[in-house]
Structure formats: structure tokens, C-alpha cells
């Protein structure tokens, strides 16, 4: 499936309305930009690729102390994820999303379920917690996962995490291991809606790796929590079975978990 540059930009900007996630109301059906995939196709695709990428914990380097120790916005502590919509009501379930920006299956998951999850966040039907991982740097012998996670966390400071998340997966290199350039990561920031002073702040945050110790801590904590592949999705702490997941089934599981 291919997208024109115009449609990609529309999907990125659909990740949140002007003014931010917290002030949004409703979700709608996403209009012409929504990715429509037949249920049977979704099941077959995910069943075929659910082997995903297995964490190579034996090759994982010790967490680095390079860069800054500042926590991104809406992160409670080292190792904790980014709470994308912290004002979600207490009765809605928590949806934890573990992804590595270099993971091809994560990009496919985003293509199929990304806009649905955005709609759930906009409507405050889930509390979304994002855990950007970086284990593929060891597997692929580069540092793109770490740099992309740092870039996304800097975007989170400007309440643009979902938009940056969408832009990065849509811009993922077709060849696994090709990695992201610094220019790529800046382009995603612009596509996510950062400009002027906010883009300058993002550039400074990214250049200084202000959140790097947090990025490394998220990877370490995910391994301690038993996350052994990406994408991993948890609903109220329970791992969601992706092998037969459809958008209708995900909606039903969210509804069932709502108090």
C-alpha cells in the first residue's frame, strides 16, 4: 500500500487537532484519509508477521549514561512511559504500546491500527502510555532506534508525540537497517507540526540528547517487565493477542475493559 506525500501529511496531522490532544472532542471516522483494511486481511497480515522482532537481550549493551537525564513531559519516572493523554478519566483502561521505530512490523501495526488508537485517545476512551524501545540498534548495528526515541521524546515536550510517532513510522526506510538520518528526524518534526520557537526547542533537545538516560531506562524496564518483542500492546497490564487482532476486536476489548 502506498500513499502520496499529501495523504501522508494528512495522516500525520490527524494524530491531533490544533490545540493538542487534551482539548479534542470525539474521534469521527477519519474521512478519506482513514486506512480501510478488510478484517480478513488484517487477520492474515498480523498472523503472518506476529513473529515480529524478538528482543536480543543477550546482546543489549549496558544502559548508557550519555546525554541528559531530564524526563520528557508527562513521564512520571525513569523507566516509565509517556502518558499521551494524562487527563483521561479514571474509568478508562490503560493501553501500553511498546514499539521500536526501526521495527517493520511496528510500522505495519501503525498502518492498520494507528488512526484507530488516535481516535481512542482523542475521545479519552483509553489512557495511552507509549514506551519507545531501542533494542534494534544492537541487532542492526546502528543507533537509529535510540536517536528516533530521543527525537520523539523531544516532540512529546511540545505535546506532539502522536504526530511525530506517525511521521516516523510513515518515513521508515524500506530496507531494514538503513536507519534514520538526523535530517530525516528533523523532517518528521516539521511534519508533526513543529515550527518557529517550538522547532528550535526540539532541535536543542535532540542535539543535547536531553532525554537519553530516560530512553535507555525505558528499554531496560521493558525487559524487566517481560516485553520480549515488538510491537507489544497491553490493555490494563494484560498482553493483547495480536495474531488475530482486528480493529473491531480491539474496540470490543477496550469497551469490555472500561469500568
Amino acid at each position: 500500500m502506498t500513499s502520496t506525500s499529501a495523504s501522508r501529511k494528512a495522516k500525520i496531522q490527524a494524530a491531533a487537532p490544533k490545540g493538542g490532544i487534551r482539548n479534542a472532542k470525539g474521534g469521527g471516522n477519519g474521512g478519506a484519509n482513514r486506512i480501510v483494511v478488510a478484517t480478513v486481511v488484517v487477520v492474515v497480515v498480523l498472523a503472518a508477521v506476529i513473529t515480529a522482532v524478538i528482543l536480543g537481550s543477550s546482546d543489549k549493551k549496558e544502559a548508557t549514561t550519555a546525554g541528559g537525564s531530564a524526563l520528557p513531559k508527562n513521564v512520571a519516572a525513569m523507566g516509565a512511559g509517556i502518558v499521551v493523554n494524562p487527563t483521561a478519566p479514571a474509568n478508562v483502561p490503560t493501553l501500553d504500546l511498546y514499539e521500536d521505530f526501526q521495527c517493520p512490523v511496528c510500522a505495519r501495526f501503525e498502518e492498520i491500527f494507528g488512526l484507530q488508537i488516535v481516535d481512542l485517545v482523542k475521545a479519552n476512551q483509553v489512557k495511552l502510555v507509549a514506551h519507545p524501545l531501542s533494542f534494534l540498534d544492537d541487532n542492526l548495528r546502528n543507533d537509529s532506534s535510540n536517536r528516533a526515541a530521543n527525537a520523539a521524546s523531544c516532540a512529546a515536550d511540545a505535546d506532539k508525540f502522536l504526530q511525530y510517532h506517525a511521521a516516523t513510522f510513515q518515513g521508515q526506510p524500506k530496507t531494514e537497517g538503513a536507519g534514520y538520518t538526523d535530517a530525516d528526524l528533523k523532517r518528521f518534526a516539521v511534519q508533526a507540526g513543529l515550527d518557529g520557537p517550538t522547532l528550535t526547542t526540539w532541535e536543542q533537545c535532540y542535539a543535547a540528547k536531553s532525554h537519553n538516560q530516560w530512553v535507555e531506562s525505558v528499554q531496560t524496564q521493558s525487559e524487566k517487565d517481560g516485553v520480549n518483542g515488538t510491537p507489544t500492546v497491553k490493555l490494563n497490564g494484560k498482553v493483547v493477542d495480536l495474531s488475530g487482532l482486528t480493529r473491531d476486536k480491539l474496540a470490543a476489548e477496550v469497551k469490555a475493559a472500561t469500568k
Side-chain angles (χ1 to χ4, degrees):
M1 182 180 297
T2 59
S3 301
T4 64
S5 59
S7 65
R8 285 198 299 269
K9 182 177 180 181
K11 291 171 188 173
I12 293 165
Q13 296 305 321
K18 293 181 179 179
I21 291 289
R22 288 176 293 176
N23 297 324
K25 294 183 179 179
N29 60 15
N33 289 320
R34 178 166 299 285
I35 300 170
V36 179
V37 183
T39 297
V40 64
V41 175
V42 174
V43 173
V44 171
V45 169
L46 281 181
V49 300
I50 195 55
T51 52
V53 187
I54 303 303
L55 295 179
S57 58
S58 61
D59 295 329
K60 186 74 178 78
K61 299 174 184 177
E62 293 183 3
T64 181
T65 57
S69 60
L71 296 175
K73 186 175 181 180
N74 296 325
V75 171
M78 286 289 178
I82 298 171
V83 181
V84 177
N85 54 329
T87 59
N91 68 309
V92 302
T94 297
L95 188 69
D96 286 280
L97 186 59
Y98 297 81
E99 296 173 310
D100 187 306
F101 282 115
Q102 289 195 94
C103 165
V105 184
C106 297
R108 182 60 176 149
F109 180 87
E110 166 67 16
E111 181 182 7
I112 296 170
F113 295 101
L115 289 179
Q116 180 184 16
I117 291 173
V118 166
D119 283 347
L120 291 171
V121 170
K122 287 181 180 180
N124 274 330
Q125 293 176 345
V126 297
K127 180 172 76 173
L128 180 64
V129 183
H131 307 258
L133 303 186
S134 52
F135 71 94
L136 275 175
D137 284 347
D138 284 341
N139 295 14
L140 299 174
R141 303 295 185 262
N142 64 31
D143 65 350
S144 281
S145 297
N146 172 276
R147 288 187 297 105
N150 269 281
S153 66
C154 290
D157 290 341
D159 293 319
K160 294 290 187 180
F161 177 82
L162 282 181
Q163 296 94 320
Y164 195 91
H165 175 273
T168 305
F169 276 123
Q170 288 174 26
Q172 187 184 82
K174 293 182 179 180
T175 302
E176 186 177 7
Y180 299 106
T181 66
D182 290 335
D184 289 334
L185 296 174
K186 180 179 178 179
R187 184 175 74 254
F188 302 152
V190 173
Q191 291 173 344
L194 295 169
D195 59 11
T198 59
L199 181 59
T200 298
T201 299
W202 178 90
E203 290 176 312
Q204 294 169 344
C205 175
Y206 175 69
K209 301 189 77 170
S210 298
H211 303 310
N212 191 58
Q213 291 182 39
W214 170 79
V215 167
E216 293 291 341
S217 75
V218 170
Q219 176 60 50
T220 300
Q221 187 62 50
S222 72
E223 293 173 11
K224 292 179 179 178
D225 292 341
V227 176
N228 59 8
T230 57
T232 290
V233 181
K234 295 183 180 180
L235 190 62
N236 279 346
K238 182 180 178 181
V239 176
V240 176
D241 182 5
L242 302 184
S243 61
L245 189 67
T246 66
R247 285 162 53 175
D248 286 345
K249 189 172 182 179
L250 177 60
E253 291 191 21
V254 167
K255 184 176 181 180
T258 302
K259 299 176 183 177

